[in-house]
Amino acid sequence: MAAKVNTGTTGHSDVNNAKVFSPLDTGTFVPQLVWLALTFGLLYVLLKRFALPRVGEVIEERRERIQRDLDKAEKLKVETEQALAHYEQALAEARAKANAIANDVRAKLAAEVDKERAAVEAEIARKLADAEARIAQSKSKAMASVADIAADTAGAVVSRLLGKEVTKDEVQRALVQRAAE
Amino acid sequence: MPDPIHQFDIHRIVPLNIGGWDVSFTNASLYMLLAVVLTIGFFTVATRARALVPSRLQSVAEISYEFVADMLRSSIGKEGMKYFPFVFSLFIFIFATNMLGMIPGAFTVASHIIVTATLAGLVFLSVLVIGFAKNGLHFLKLFVPSGVPVFVLPLVTLIEVISFLSRPVSHSVRLFANMLAGHITLKVFGGFVVMLLGSGSFAALAPIPLAATIALTALEFLVSFLQAYVFTMLTCMYLNDALHPGH
């Protein structure tokens, strides 16, 4: 079945010409050229039309997918950072608000305490004044009675010494006179 | 000793003749077709799922895609991706036929000068067509480097033209010679093993060429990949010249 190809000029396919170095044998050039053109052409067309676009598409699709995923990750990262910033802002605001409320309450309480204290102090002062007034009254009343008691006592002492009754007016008079000297 | 050149012989499997031209389906045709079928089959199976998280096969398909795409992008830039199907076809065709050639008893397509010369010629013509289509006569600036003193400019231009014209030669011979030499070496060392085994007490020495054959096989796998890579890399650089002729 397989016949040796000889130099084309002889036309006898089964003559083995040992003198010809087959890789350079011009007689085999034509069939080799024809089949090289056919097979290489076929390979080129099939690769170009069919095989290479398929591989290229897959690679391109993967590249796009990875790029898309990277973009998405980047977006999510930015969003996360934003959320974090918002959270921190909210936290700061809440803290400030809490501080304000605490200060407010503190001030209000202080004001109330001051008012209460002032009221209590005023009450105490009033009571003190009352007491002082009462004391002063009692004192003056007592001082007023002292003259009477002194007169009575003096009358009694004089009556005992003299053995005779003296009127209250006489004692009074003498006392007033004596006090005037 | 077994003939180390025998492996490169072309056999007609289905003799065909169209209009006086010999278009027989040969063992070379078979391995070219096999490379195409395996490549397309592999990509079909590997990308069937089109998974976001690739399976092992899909990873291999994607790695090969990115490997060639990176070559293009690094040497030409984004606009080089227009020629990606062509460059990728070159790489995968050479790579697949080279790897198939590593199967013992298989035929190595790139061990024939006509194959590598055709591919290199295709690249050369593409560079010329793209270069003139994109830049018009400015493409000729490729041969007139800027910043060269006027009195040596003719000489430099001559050298540039010669180097440009010799590109397809070096481009094709590099791949062809590497594959040819590698496979001959493998066959020769393999032949030594057989010869020593058949020569009485010298059979004790047979492990030495056997070890060499094993090491060479590993090296040859590397070369098979590397030559596909080098061929593709040079294609990228030449295409870059076509797009950006001003040095």
Side-chain angles (χ1 to χ4, degrees):
Chain A
M1 166 181 150
K4 176 104 196 283
V5 176
N6 197 3
T7 46
T9 46
T10 65
H12 297 293
S13 60
D14 49 2
V15 173
N16 191 354
N17 188 350
K19 292 216 165 61
V20 179
F21 181 56
S22 45
L24 300 174
D25 184 357
T26 51
T28 68
F29 280 7
V30 175
Q32 289 208 75
L33 260 176
V34 169
W35 283 97
L36 176 63
L38 283 176
T39 52
F40 188 73
L42 179 70
L43 179 74
Y44 176 75
V45 170
L46 287 177
L47 281 177
K48 188 187 166 135
R49 287 279 150 81
F50 165 69
L52 291 179
R54 273 170 72 149
V55 183
E57 269 166 32
V58 170
I59 291 173
E60 202 49 47
E61 204 181 300
R62 182 175 309 125
R63 199 170 287 151
E64 272 170 19
R65 173 75 178 268
I66 289 170
Q67 195 52 51
R68 226 173 27 238
D69 285 359
L70 281 179
D71 289 349
K72 203 166 154 192
E74 187 58 36
K75 214 178 93 194
L76 286 176
K77 196 181 152 205
V78 169
E79 273 173 15
T80 308
E81 273 166 6
Q82 258 170 12
L84 198 68
H86 279 156
Y87 162 74
E88 266 166 11
Q89 202 190 337
L91 196 68
E93 273 170 13
R95 205 171 276 150
K97 212 163 151 190
N99 267 338
I101 289 171
N103 282 339
D104 217 30
V105 169
R106 205 174 290 134
K108 222 191 263 167
L109 282 179
E112 259 169 39
V113 166
D114 280 353
K115 213 166 89 188
E116 200 81 354
R117 190 190 292 135
V120 168
E121 274 174 358
E123 178 74 17
I124 289 170
R126 198 174 53 76
K127 281 187 177 158
L128 209 62
D130 272 6
E132 270 170 3
R134 257 203 319 278
I135 290 167
Q137 209 185 350
S138 307
K139 200 173 160 188
S140 64
K141 220 154 102 195
M143 290 308 271
S145 315
V146 166
D148 267 0
I149 294 164
D152 284 352
T153 311
V157 169
V158 168
S159 321
R160 193 70 68 81
L161 285 175
L162 295 179
K164 82 165 182 170
E165 265 324 294
V166 284
T167 63
K168 208 172 182 179
D169 289 343
E170 284 168 334
V171 174
Q172 203 83 326
R173 228 169 16 245
L175 277 176
V176 171
Q177 198 185 340
R178 187 75 187 162
E181 284 175 9
Chain B
M1 174 159 180
D3 176 14
I5 308 299
H6 178 259
Q7 57 178 319
F8 305 114
D9 286 350
I10 302 273
H11 307 283
R12 287 199 180 96
I13 296 171
V14 183
L16 286 171
N17 195 304
I18 297 174
W21 292 98
D22 182 10
V23 293
S24 302
F25 187 79
T26 62
N27 52 342
S29 321
L30 175 68
Y31 280 92
M32 291 177 197
L33 195 62
L34 209 56
V36 174
V37 169
L38 287 176
T39 302
I40 296 299
F42 168 75
F43 273 95
T44 308
V45 173
T47 62
R48 193 191 288 144
R50 302 196 201 197
L52 198 63
V53 178
S55 61
R56 265 181 245 181
L57 271 187
Q58 195 184 323
S59 280
V60 174
E62 286 177 13
I63 287 167
S64 68
Y65 183 101
E66 287 290 357
F67 178 67
V68 178
D70 278 345
M71 263 194 263
L72 262 174
R73 279 193 287 252
S74 63
S75 53
I76 303 179
K78 269 264 185 268
E79 75 253 51
M81 287 306 282
K82 211 191 313 184
Y83 311 107
F84 178 66
F86 174 58
V87 175
F88 189 84
S89 301
L90 274 177
F91 173 75
I92 210 76
F93 185 78
I94 297 169
F95 178 73
T97 51
N98 282 358
M99 282 300 163
L100 282 174
M102 286 310 294
I103 299 169
F107 178 81
T108 311
V109 173
S111 64
H112 277 248
I113 186 77
I114 183 66
V115 173
T116 62
T118 306
L119 294 176
L122 196 59
V123 172
F124 184 73
L125 281 179
S126 305
V127 168
L128 278 181
V129 170
I130 293 166
F132 280 115
K134 292 263 168 188
N135 309 287
L137 287 177
H138 285 295
F139 180 57
L140 295 175
K141 266 194 196 154
L142 183 63
F143 308 115
V144 190
S146 53
V148 175
V150 178
F151 57 93
V152 289
L153 200 57
L155 184 64
V156 171
T157 304
L158 183 68
I159 292 170
E160 287 284 341
V161 170
I162 292 170
S163 109
F164 182 80
L165 292 178
S166 64
R167 273 175 183 183
V169 178
S170 63
H171 201 190
S172 58
V173 168
R174 184 179 296 109
L175 174 59
F176 157 70
N178 265 287
M179 298 322 293
L180 182 76
H183 283 267
I184 290 175
T185 317
L186 264 183
K187 185 80 175 194
V188 167
F189 274 85
F192 283 160
V193 180
V194 179
M195 276 166 60
L196 285 171
L197 282 177
S199 57
S201 53
F202 285 112
L205 293 175
I208 297 168
L210 181 66
T213 308
I214 292 167
L216 279 171
T217 305
L219 180 71
E220 218 28 50
F221 270 110
L222 179 69
V223 168
S224 293
F225 161 73
L226 219 55
Q227 285 307 316
Y229 171 66
V230 167
F231 195 95
T232 316
M233 195 70 216
L234 285 170
T235 303
C236 291
M237 286 165 65
Y238 296 163
L239 282 173
N240 182 44
D241 280 346
L243 292 171
H244 312 115
H247 281 261

